Amino acid sequence: MIIHQIYTGCLAQGAYYIESNGEVAIIDPLREVQDYIDTAEKNNAKIKYIFETHFHADFVSGHVTLAEKTGAKIVYGPSAETNFNAIIAKDNQVFTLGDITITALHTPGHTMESTCYLLKDANGKEYALFSGDTLFLGDVGRPDLAQKGTITEKDLAGFLFDSLRNKVMTLADDVIVYPAHGAGSACGKNLSKETVGTIGQQKATNYALRPDMTKEEFIHEVTDGLLPPPAYFPLNVKLNKEGYESVDDIIKKSAKPLSVNDFENIANKTGALILDVRHQNEFIKGFIPQSIFIGLNGTFAPWVGALIKDIIQPILLVTEIGDEETAITRLSRVGFDNVLGYLEGGFNSWREASKEIDTIVSVLPKTLEQNNQDNLLIFDVRKPGEFLSEHIVFAKNTPLDFLNNHIDEFPTNTPFYVHCAGGYRSVIAASILKARGFHKIIDISGGFDAIKNTNLPLSEAVCPSTLK
């Protein structure tokens, strides 16, 4: 038996390759599927099943393409409805894969069709649970993404409580937990950085699995403090239910090199968003005016989805040379398929053509420490939980996810500073504010990690896990 976790950091997402005696199952595949096919062919094995734990809201799954290329059967849990052929499993339905079995455990709560898959080894022993968004390490899936009719988020939280107590917590402590997401995903509130755990570990440490927890307490704690979901979530669910273009076709039509003049003309004619995906250290030195930075080196796809909003938005890319297809592929993972092309030769070709450029001023925290701190205007774009755990005492919290809600707080005529944890999100925020006419912005290099090494006044540190 082979189990591979294919963890994609820029999505905080785990897909799984399972093989037994020449037969393969893929759980929650990414949209680009060739690696799964290549691995199976290398092992002289055949992909038999594609198990989907639910209609993923935060990425476009590769189930449709993988089924078309391999003939494998797509499996969803009870109550799922699709526009393509799929096996809608019954609760406790057993699927044989080589010498092992995989049992569908219907676990509604995150969504109504949410299903975990329990793997039993060749001896019939319960071995691993592929828990989707029902159980994460340190958290459980948010229950507010798939409300229908009269079903509320509190109803879904109640279903989730029952699913966890009746289907998950009854498993043996040594059963391995393979979740669909880790830290950075918006599908939970406080996911662990670890990507593999056990049922016993989660019973001991996960706040949502406390044995003395009542259903009412669970509903309150799971729904308390939920931030609004990113706008692209329902659009990705629609693609996963109805089908989509192959990522190979998306790359063919989007990987189009454009000269400087063609790039500029298309931008002017279409109103396409210019998305610069280079490293933040390169972006601040020079970029095309009005362009937005979201670097490939960070959690790229979730930030694209959170900040661009509409997946049909036309996009023109500025990348490092050789990163063009990578950027297009990562955009397609979250449903952004409307890339019109990329700047041939990268940003250097723009600079060499003597076109107008913009820059962002960036300073070390030491510079702030040496200034008159009474006059400093600092905006912290980390998440509220990060801000509450520790922050500069006179900083304002303007989370990047909801920057639009704070636009009126940024001055147009007075210099102000912006920082995040390490310097990635603050440059995204700076690019957005620059594009909206805020040109007095100064980035704090190194973010809060560097600020903590200065004598700037900080709030009392609070452990994030104790925050509600």
Side-chain angles (χ1 to χ4, degrees):
M1 178 175 66
I2 298 171
I3 300 175
H4 287 161
Q5 181 184 61
I6 303 108
Y7 197 79
T8 305
C10 78
L11 273 178
Q13 189 266 343
Y16 298 92
Y17 176 100
I18 305 165
E19 181 183 319
S20 175
N21 198 19
E23 294 186 332
V24 173
I26 308 293
I27 296 182
D28 295 340
L30 284 180
R31 187 168 180 180
E32 70 271 24
V33 299
Q34 194 57 45
D35 284 350
Y36 312 128
I37 296 170
D38 291 345
T39 302
E41 288 180 352
K42 180 182 174 184
N43 293 350
N44 197 27
K46 178 178 175 55
I47 299 178
K48 184 177 183 181
Y49 293 118
I50 305 155
F51 292 102
E52 291 286 302
T53 57
H54 63 298
F55 290 117
H56 310 278
D58 54 340
F59 69 97
V60 181
S61 179
H63 55 312
V64 174
T65 303
L66 187 56
E68 289 174 351
K69 289 191 173 187
T70 65
K73 302 295 184 185
I74 301 170
V75 181
Y76 272 97
S79 81
E81 296 179 1
T82 68
N83 285 9
F84 44 83
N85 289 328
I87 297 172
I88 307 302
K90 297 177 182 176
D91 190 21
N92 290 313
Q93 185 168 341
V94 178
F95 297 85
T96 300
L97 189 77
D99 298 327
I100 65 176
T101 62
I102 295 176
T103 302
L105 300 180
H106 188 209
T107 50
H110 174 63
T111 62
M112 287 307 291
E113 82 284 357
S114 282
T115 297
C116 296
Y117 295 100
L118 178 63
L119 185 153
K120 295 181 182 178
D121 65 18
N123 297 317
K125 181 183 183 302
E126 296 176 349
Y127 182 82
L129 183 74
F130 300 89
S131 59
D133 285 19
T134 296
L135 176 64
F136 298 129
L137 304 184
D139 205 345
V140 293
R142 55 189 298 168
D144 62 329
L145 300 180
Q147 302 165 61
K148 287 183 178 179
T150 58
I151 297 179
T152 69
E153 65 180 34
K154 292 187 183 302
D155 293 332
L156 285 165
F159 293 138
L160 184 58
F161 177 87
D162 293 336
S163 293
L164 290 165
R165 265 65 187 172
N166 300 331
K167 299 284 184 67
V168 174
M169 293 175 70
T170 55
L171 298 173
D173 285 353
D174 63 350
V175 170
I176 300 169
V177 177
Y178 289 113
H181 294 294
S185 168
C187 289
K189 291 190 293 188
N190 190 29
L191 282 68
S192 168
K193 291 181 180 178
E194 286 72 33
T195 62
V196 179
T198 66
I199 291 291
Q201 290 169 351
Q202 290 311 296
K203 286 179 182 174
T205 60
N206 191 321
Y207 76 98
L209 303 191
R210 291 199 311 269
D212 61 346
M213 193 179 211
T214 67
K215 181 182 280 192
E216 288 70 27
E217 289 172 336
F218 178 90
I219 292 171
H220 173 73
E221 292 190 32
V222 167
T223 58
D224 184 43
L226 283 176
L227 297 172
Y232 75 102
F233 271 25
L235 304 174
N236 276 197
V237 169
K238 187 173 187 293
L239 289 172
N240 285 329
K241 283 183 176 179
E242 298 179 358
Y244 47 76
E245 275 187 271
S246 160
V247 70
D248 298 333
D249 294 337
I250 298 299
I251 291 173
K252 282 179 187 173
K253 77 174 184 183
S254 298
K256 186 186 302 179
L258 300 170
S259 68
V260 169
N261 287 336
D262 286 345
F263 188 92
E264 187 174 38
N265 289 336
I266 292 173
N268 291 334
K269 287 179 180 176
T270 65
L273 183 149
I274 300 175
L275 181 63
D276 194 320
V277 303
R278 297 173 294 154
H279 193 281
Q280 59 267 27
N281 292 348
E282 295 303 313
F283 181 82
I284 62 175
K285 296 175 188 172
F287 56 90
I288 299 173
Q290 307 292 313
S291 57
I292 300 299
F293 162 78
I294 304 178
L296 287 175
N297 61 308
T299 47
F300 174 72
W303 281 120
V304 167
L307 298 172
I308 298 181
K309 310 289 185 188
D310 190 348
I311 62 174
I312 64 171
Q313 166 70 50
I315 292 172
L316 288 164
L317 286 172
V318 179
T319 75
E320 295 291 357
I321 295 174
D323 282 347
E324 301 87 3
E325 286 196 12
T326 298
I328 294 165
T329 300
R330 292 192 185 182
L331 286 167
S332 73
R333 287 175 181 168
V334 284
F336 288 80
D337 295 344
N338 200 12
V339 174
L340 304 181
Y342 65 87
L343 182 60
E344 187 172 23
F347 182 70
N348 281 342
S349 64
W350 185 270
R351 191 195 299 270
E352 289 168 359
S354 299
K355 295 290 185 181
E356 182 184 0
I357 67 171
D358 202 350
T359 59
I360 291 173
V361 176
S362 185
V363 300
L364 294 170
K366 283 286 185 185
T367 303
L368 276 68
E369 191 179 11
Q370 294 162 0
N371 285 345
N372 179 359
Q373 293 172 15
D374 291 339
N375 296 326
L376 292 179
L377 192 53
I378 298 179
F379 294 88
D380 182 337
V381 298
R382 295 177 298 162
K383 294 180 182 297
E386 295 174 275
F387 181 81
L388 289 171
S389 67
E390 194 175 19
H391 59 268
I392 300 174
V393 292
F394 46 82
K396 294 185 177 182
N397 187 212
T398 54
L400 176 61
D401 313 54
F402 307 103
L403 202 66
N404 286 338
N405 299 342
H406 298 277
I407 286 295
D408 293 342
E409 299 172 36
F410 296 100
T412 55
N413 298 316
T414 304
F416 65 93
Y417 299 85
V418 61
H419 79 82
C420 59
Y424 177 79
R425 286 174 285 178
S426 62
V427 176
I428 297 176
S431 72
I432 294 171
L433 291 169
K434 274 265 184 177
R436 297 195 174 195
F438 296 89
H439 294 293
K440 297 288 186 180
I441 188 168
I442 303 169
D443 174 63
I444 302 177
S445 177
F448 197 71
D449 294 342
I451 289 169
K452 286 194 288 189
N453 295 323
T454 70
N455 291 317
L456 286 164
L458 304 182
S459 65
E460 185 177 352
V462 179
C463 178
S465 63
T466 65
L467 296 170
K468 291 186 177 180

